[in-house]
Amino acid sequence: MAVRVQAGDFDLGAEVAGLCAGRVDIGAVVTFTGLVRDLDGRLMGFELEHYPAMTERALAGIEAEAQARWPLQASLIVHRYGALAPGDRIMMVATVSAHRADAFEAATFLMDYLKSRAPFWKKETTPGGSAWVDARETDAAALARWSKGS
Amino acid sequence: MAVRVQAGDFDLGAEVAGLCAGRVDIGAVVTFTGLVRDLDGRLMGFELEHYPAMTERALAGIEAEAQARWPLQASLIVHRYGALAPGDRIMMVATVSAHRADAFEAATFLMDYLKSRAPFWKKETTPGGSAWVDARETDAAALARWSKGS
Amino acid sequence: MKLDVLYFAWLRERIGLPRETVETEAATVADLVAELRGREERYALAFSDMAAVRVAVDQDLSDLEASLSGVREIAFFPPMTGG
Amino acid sequence: MKLDVLYFAWLRERIGLPRETVETEAATVADLVAELRGREERYALAFSDMAAVRVAVDQDLSDLEASLSGVREIAFFPPMTGG
């Protein structure tokens, strides 16, 4: 169970290999990787601001919540900050479990929580200037579904 | 969109890097990796038999179904066959999309279909001998939910 | 007609061979299964519980009601356990 | 009491600084916001639409009703857009 916040890039394969190293009780590993996308060819890049004193604490809290809900054998959140260009990796999560349904659900949950509760803000730069990215309403809705009675 | 059936191992990081290379329109990559797990310390390994003439065809059909349901920018299924030991990678899927919900759902769908519709059979060896692994009823249930009206 | 019939996993082991060519006039997969069952004990045993047997017709998943007209290859196997 | 008050993203830009120490007797976050708004136009502007502002109290997400008793650090920022 680990959380890292860093300016530099990460290596998905190495991170997953590290989570599984020396273990034979793992059946399923699910990963999500978020990338800087430029859908209309105008994005020059963005700056990812964060709140250092809170970021790792918030991510660790989200991870602990996932561990309480699903039987995870390991999990990892890596999130970058600073200047990123189109195509760059922004962040990853990985969830490790004996069974695939748990790994898939926990990874989806981590992403939904992280989007709305981890203190990061994106400022995009295009030829027209720089602007803060608005939060998406679908992200708030994605978060809300996890608190429905079940 | 690709399918590979092979005896040898695969490199998750390299596969994902290959799917994303030279593109800036990708927002989300979800991967699933299945590993040989030994929950009770008795598994010596298993032999994964398949039906060569049908395997790639079945996997390509499952992948085409996922592409018809979700706006995927790329996808990949790699499945191994032959002798595997505890901790070994068995297979992976990757789904690539502009948005995370599509990538997560499509990867879950690929796994549910693959479990019940790709012609692979596992024969486990323990100190007590060898035995064919029974299909899990939960896998049939996981497949059935995708055909509910929605 | 001549059909290639393939067996996988425990069906292969019970019948004792991975594939054979069968000369048959069976109209459907179910007819073929009935014909094979009548041949020898090992076939009767392999096909004793058809709920545990899946079939592919020319490499596509199918069922016992499928017609054999124009078909080249039939495969019998247990429920899949890949992934 | 003395409070460290932090601003992020467009709140930081509108107010023109990333953090400041504030001497206040405000009982709740809402009281503090009212006090800051009364200071200068740039604060009034930054806090003009509180539906677009989130708050963390000592590095935990919180809300306007939260008490400031014993608190060391308050942060104001827009809805998060990480991931």
Side-chain angles (χ1 to χ4, degrees):
Chain A
M1 317 299 174
V3 162
R4 291 207 321 270
V5 182
Q6 60 190 43
D9 198 7
F10 55 84
D11 178 333
L12 178 71
E15 297 295 349
V16 170
L19 288 175
C20 298
R23 300 186 65 157
V24 297
D25 57 339
I26 292 169
V29 182
V30 170
T31 71
F32 175 90
T33 306
L35 301 145
V36 181
R37 76 169 176 275
D38 173 24
L39 287 174
D40 60 4
R42 299 181 68 250
L43 182 70
M44 299 163 72
F46 63 57
E47 183 73 25
L48 197 44
E49 181 172 338
H50 77 125
Y51 176 5
M54 178 176 168
T55 312
E56 292 205 16
R57 179 188 173 90
L59 294 176
I62 292 165
E63 199 179 43
E65 178 78 22
Q67 288 159 25
R69 293 186 180 215
W70 290 277
L72 301 182
Q73 296 166 317
S75 59
L76 174 67
I77 304 175
V78 180
H79 207 302
R80 299 177 67 187
Y81 59 86
L84 296 170
D88 281 357
R89 282 175 280 269
I90 306 168
M91 49 77 62
M92 66 164 285
V93 305
T95 54
V96 175
S97 185
H99 301 293
R100 76 181 186 282
D102 294 324
F104 269 120
E105 285 182 24
T108 307
F109 171 92
L110 284 178
M111 286 307 305
D112 287 347
Y113 260 65
L114 192 154
K115 282 267 175 186
S116 296
R117 301 182 72 93
F120 290 94
W121 302 275
K122 290 179 184 133
K123 189 175 195 178
E124 290 186 345
T125 299
T126 63
S130 291
W132 293 98
V133 173
D134 283 328
R136 295 166 60 208
E137 289 193 17
T138 52
D139 285 330
L143 179 61
R145 70 185 159 138
W146 296 105
S147 48
K148 277 176 198 154
S150 63
Chain B
M1 317 298 176
V3 161
R4 293 208 318 271
V5 182
Q6 61 190 44
D9 198 8
F10 55 84
D11 178 334
L12 177 71
E15 297 295 349
V16 169
L19 288 175
C20 298
R23 300 186 65 157
V24 296
D25 57 339
I26 292 170
V29 182
V30 169
T31 71
F32 175 91
T33 306
L35 300 145
V36 181
R37 77 169 175 276
D38 173 26
L39 287 175
D40 60 4
R42 299 181 69 250
L43 182 70
M44 299 164 72
F46 61 58
E47 183 73 25
L48 197 45
E49 179 171 340
H50 76 126
Y51 177 4
M54 180 176 168
T55 312
E56 292 206 15
R57 178 187 172 90
L59 293 176
I62 292 165
E63 199 180 44
E65 178 77 22
Q67 288 160 26
R69 293 187 181 216
W70 291 277
L72 301 181
Q73 295 165 318
S75 59
L76 173 68
I77 303 175
V78 180
H79 208 303
R80 299 177 66 187
Y81 60 86
L84 296 170
D88 281 357
R89 281 175 282 268
I90 306 169
M91 50 78 62
M92 65 164 285
V93 305
T95 54
V96 175
S97 185
H99 300 293
R100 76 179 185 282
D102 294 324
F104 269 119
E105 285 181 23
T108 307
F109 171 92
L110 284 178
M111 287 307 305
D112 288 346
Y113 260 65
L114 192 152
K115 282 266 173 187
S116 296
R117 302 183 71 93
F120 290 94
W121 302 275
K122 290 178 184 132
K123 188 175 196 179
E124 291 187 345
T125 299
T126 64
S130 291
W132 293 98
V133 173
D134 283 327
R136 294 166 60 207
E137 290 193 16
T138 52
D139 285 331
L143 179 62
R145 69 184 159 139
W146 296 106
S147 48
K148 278 177 198 155
S150 63
Chain C
M1 68 186 156
K2 270 192 162 61
L3 268 182
D4 286 325
V5 183
L6 283 67
Y7 310 106
F8 292 94
W10 56 256
L11 276 129
R12 173 176 53 72
E13 292 179 341
R14 287 194 194 167
I15 289 168
L17 73 177
R19 67 188 303 152
E20 61 185 319
T21 302
V22 171
E23 181 67 45
T24 180
E25 297 308 318
T28 66
V29 175
D31 293 343
L32 174 66
V33 169
E35 203 174 291
L36 292 169
R37 263 196 199 122
R39 276 185 169 185
E40 286 181 49
E41 184 58 25
R42 57 193 167 110
Y43 289 96
L45 184 66
F47 291 115
S48 60
D49 176 14
M50 290 307 290
V53 176
R54 300 287 176 272
V55 61
V57 173
D58 284 339
Q59 293 107 41
D60 277 325
L61 275 183
S62 187
D63 55 51
L64 292 173
E65 281 65 52
S67 162
L68 295 183
S69 168
V71 166
R72 304 285 305 272
E73 182 172 301
I74 296 287
F76 294 104
F77 42 77
M80 287 87 140
T81 55
Chain D
M1 71 189 152
K2 272 192 161 64
L3 269 183
D4 285 326
V5 183
L6 282 67
Y7 309 105
F8 293 95
W10 56 255
L11 274 129
R12 173 177 53 71
E13 292 180 340
R14 287 194 194 166
I15 290 169
L17 75 177
R19 67 188 302 153
E20 60 186 319
T21 301
V22 172
E23 180 68 45
T24 180
E25 297 309 316
T28 66
V29 174
D31 293 342
L32 175 65
V33 169
E35 205 174 290
L36 292 170
R37 262 196 200 124
R39 276 186 171 184
E40 286 180 51
E41 184 57 28
R42 59 196 167 110
Y43 289 95
L45 184 68
F47 291 116
S48 61
D49 176 14
M50 290 307 291
V53 176
R54 300 288 176 271
V55 60
V57 173
D58 284 340
Q59 293 107 41
D60 276 326
L61 274 183
S62 188
D63 55 51
L64 292 174
E65 280 66 52
S67 162
L68 295 184
S69 169
V71 166
R72 303 286 305 272
E73 183 173 301
I74 297 286
F76 293 104
F77 41 78
M80 286 88 140
T81 54

